[in-house]
Amino acid sequence: QGTIPTSPSLAPQVGAGEARCEAAVVMAAMATEAAVVTSRMEAWEEDVLPVFYYNDFLVNRIGAPVGLNLFEPRYVEMCRRMGGRDPRFIFMLNYEDYQCKAGDVGFTIRVRSIQPQGGGRAFGIQGVAEEMVAVACTWQEPNTNGLHLAKVWRLNPSIPPVPHQQLRVLSDFLELGRWTRVRGDVRWMYGNSEGALVLAGCNWLSSTGSAFLLAPEAPAAASRLPQAIAAAATPSTSPDELRQLQNVLEQTVQRVPSVDATSAVRLSDFFNALNETIRWEGRGTRWAAGLPEEEDTQPDTQPDLSYSSRLLRRVRLLRLRGMFAEMPSVRIQLQWWQDRQGDLRLGAVASNGSNVILHAVPEDMMIAGESADAAMAELVWRLNRPRLQLLQRAHSRGSCCFSSLREDLLSQVFAFIAVRPAETA
């Protein structure tokens, strides 16, 4: 996997002469690249870090030292980035497929020294495990040789994991309580009809026989799990069994930031709604609003999506393939992609211009409902603005039925038709 563990006492050293000169050239190039990245950092997500996978407990506690020689291309890219603003990465235990999912638990490693080798084709790094974290959302960044990034939640290391057998019992109780298994890029997650969720990080199961339970930190959500357990009890459930499971929940559940997805809207559905609203308008209105005048029906052409940029700047990402992807600095743009068969397909790019860039299909993205409403309100405003301008001009000339209305009443009429949207960053 392109990795050689090293002892902290055997940190790569640079000798005199050519080795020192070579390292200096590489480090200078890294510093220049970092300066360029820093200069265009308009936004930054502190809890988004690159992921390093390993199939052994090389790191198993906070404070553990880490020494690695990295030569796999994606990890070389990771090392180059760590020469910039954030010298951290996620050490992720994985025995299966070198892919993490929401809930998986690892450690953030703060790099103390980083040494280029072989002209920058490899790196020796030394660091220390700083925090225990769980994956909220993960993706593979394009054009990085397969480097994975993840948005993480910080965990309390004093809260113990739950044994596998008790996790199975919890699953049975939740299903009896009419909670449903949630699908997506998760290993174990249940939800109920009220939007409550419980998630388990299971990537340590094969090595420790235990998993980490995570649930939203909102006070209302905190009480739903014990209630669900009590509601699922059957006449054959002993009081001791019920009490034991409820004690396990009290002692092992990690509280993570709450994400209210009850009003979430699928990006593809929202985009279809935008287009449907536009199609109802006449060509003149669309032209005045800066929107496409006609639909392009040619199968081999790419319909113009430039009009969507202004509307989508209000949209906020909440979920990605079932994972928790709330990142305030990220904005979404739509693009046309060509698949392997040469057919055009609508794709979405979510980015903050610095440390987040991910590609997905709109069907896999859920956006905040209030942000979708704000974007639709802007579209309605843009479509109705030419009409309001005509009414305003007619009123000022005294040549319409509104001419006798006072200005304040006229403003109320205009506000009823369309409210001018507030500016966004």
Side-chain angles (χ1 to χ4, degrees):
Q1 54 182 354
T3 309
I4 303 176
T6 64
S7 167
S9 62
L10 299 176
Q13 300 295 321
V14 179
E18 293 183 1
R20 184 183 295 116
C21 179
E22 179 184 78
V25 170
V26 174
M27 295 298 284
M30 288 173 61
T32 301
E33 181 178 343
V36 172
V37 171
T38 302
S39 67
R40 59 181 175 83
M41 281 181 188
E42 298 179 358
W44 187 268
E45 292 290 335
E46 294 291 341
D47 293 328
V48 171
L49 296 169
V51 182
F52 168 76
Y53 296 105
Y54 204 69
N55 60 357
D56 193 6
F57 251 128
L58 185 64
V59 178
N60 59 9
R61 61 178 175 83
I62 293 175
V66 182
L68 298 168
N69 289 327
L70 303 174
F71 52 85
E72 190 175 331
R74 59 176 169 174
Y75 297 139
V76 170
E77 173 65 23
M78 178 182 79
C79 290
R80 288 174 180 152
R81 296 183 178 200
M82 289 191 297
R85 173 171 172 169
D86 195 342
R88 296 180 300 156
F89 67 93
I90 303 167
F91 186 99
M92 184 60 62
L93 183 69
N94 186 288
Y95 288 94
E96 299 176 4
D97 53 6
Y98 298 104
Q99 305 225 0
C100 57
K101 296 183 182 296
D104 284 359
V105 173
F107 293 91
T108 57
I109 307 298
R110 183 168 292 275
V111 175
R112 302 298 188 188
S113 68
I114 180 167
Q115 183 60 56
Q117 301 168 347
R121 294 185 296 273
F123 286 87
I125 64 174
Q126 300 292 323
V128 62
E130 189 173 63
E131 289 181 305
M132 180 178 285
V133 295
V135 172
C137 181
T138 182
W139 62 92
Q140 181 177 308
E141 184 172 319
N143 305 316
T144 59
N145 295 299
L147 180 64
H148 288 194
L149 283 92
K151 171 184 166 58
V152 296
W153 295 311
R154 295 177 176 86
L155 300 183
N156 183 345
S158 65
I159 296 178
V162 59
H164 191 194
Q165 180 59 35
Q166 291 179 325
L167 184 65
R168 289 179 176 174
V169 173
L170 177 59
S171 299
D172 294 339
F173 269 83
L174 290 175
E175 289 176 2
L176 286 171
R178 296 187 179 180
W179 287 48
T180 57
R181 191 77 178 261
V182 180
R183 303 300 176 185
D185 282 2
V186 295
R187 301 186 194 278
W188 189 101
M189 184 162 70
Y190 282 85
N192 70 0
S193 59
E194 298 175 352
L197 293 169
V198 59
L199 175 68
C202 300
N203 60 314
W204 291 26
L205 274 178
S206 57
S207 59
T208 67
S210 58
F212 293 86
L213 284 178
L214 306 102
E217 63 188 3
S223 63
R224 287 173 180 162
L225 275 176
Q227 289 175 358
I229 300 305
T234 65
S236 62
T237 305
S238 69
D240 287 342
E241 182 182 9
L242 187 62
R243 192 179 305 110
Q244 181 183 18
L245 186 55
Q246 289 178 330
N247 288 338
V248 166
L249 291 176
E250 291 177 1
Q251 297 170 8
T252 62
V253 173
Q254 297 266 2
R255 298 298 171 189
V256 297
S258 181
V259 178
D260 182 10
T262 54
S263 63
V265 178
R266 198 171 300 279
L267 180 60
S268 55
D269 294 339
F270 170 69
F271 182 64
N272 290 337
L274 285 181
N275 284 333
E276 189 65 22
T277 301
I278 292 171
R279 277 195 289 268
W280 276 98
E281 296 291 340
R283 292 182 57 189
T285 303
R286 283 187 261 179
W287 173 83
L291 300 171
E293 295 182 56
E294 296 181 355
E295 294 182 49
D296 198 332
T297 57
Q298 298 300 318
D300 58 345
T301 61
Q302 298 181 4
D304 182 22
L305 294 175
S306 59
Y307 72 93
S308 67
S309 299
R310 182 177 179 86
L311 300 175
L312 289 178
R313 65 179 182 159
R314 297 182 179 275
V315 166
R316 298 295 177 266
L317 180 63
L318 275 188
R319 295 284 186 88
L320 176 67
R321 297 188 299 275
M323 299 180 289
F324 305 88
E326 188 174 27
M327 293 176 279
S329 69
V330 169
R331 300 295 178 265
I332 299 173
Q333 295 292 328
L334 296 176
Q335 295 180 354
W336 289 108
W337 297 339
Q338 199 169 49
D339 61 21
R340 294 179 179 178
Q341 288 72 39
D343 298 324
L344 288 179
R345 189 176 184 185
L346 187 64
V349 179
S351 174
N352 65 353
S354 54
N355 69 327
V356 176
I357 179 170
L358 63 93
H359 291 177
V361 294
E363 292 79 6
D364 286 342
M365 285 185 170
M366 301 293 289
I367 59 176
E370 63 273 15
S371 71
D373 292 341
M376 183 62 78
E378 178 167 347
L379 174 60
V380 172
W381 163 257
R382 293 182 66 185
L383 289 169
N384 282 308
R385 184 173 54 182
R387 300 184 177 103
L388 297 178
Q389 289 172 339
L390 289 174
L391 289 175
Q392 180 68 51
R393 186 175 302 173
H395 175 267
S396 63
R397 293 178 178 176
S399 58
C400 76
C401 59
F402 293 124
S403 59
S404 60
L405 288 180
R406 299 197 313 269
E407 288 288 344
D408 59 335
L409 294 177
L410 186 67
S411 298
Q412 292 182 36
V413 172
F414 287 177
F416 176 77
I417 297 173
V419 178
R420 185 186 186 99
E423 289 299 321
T424 61

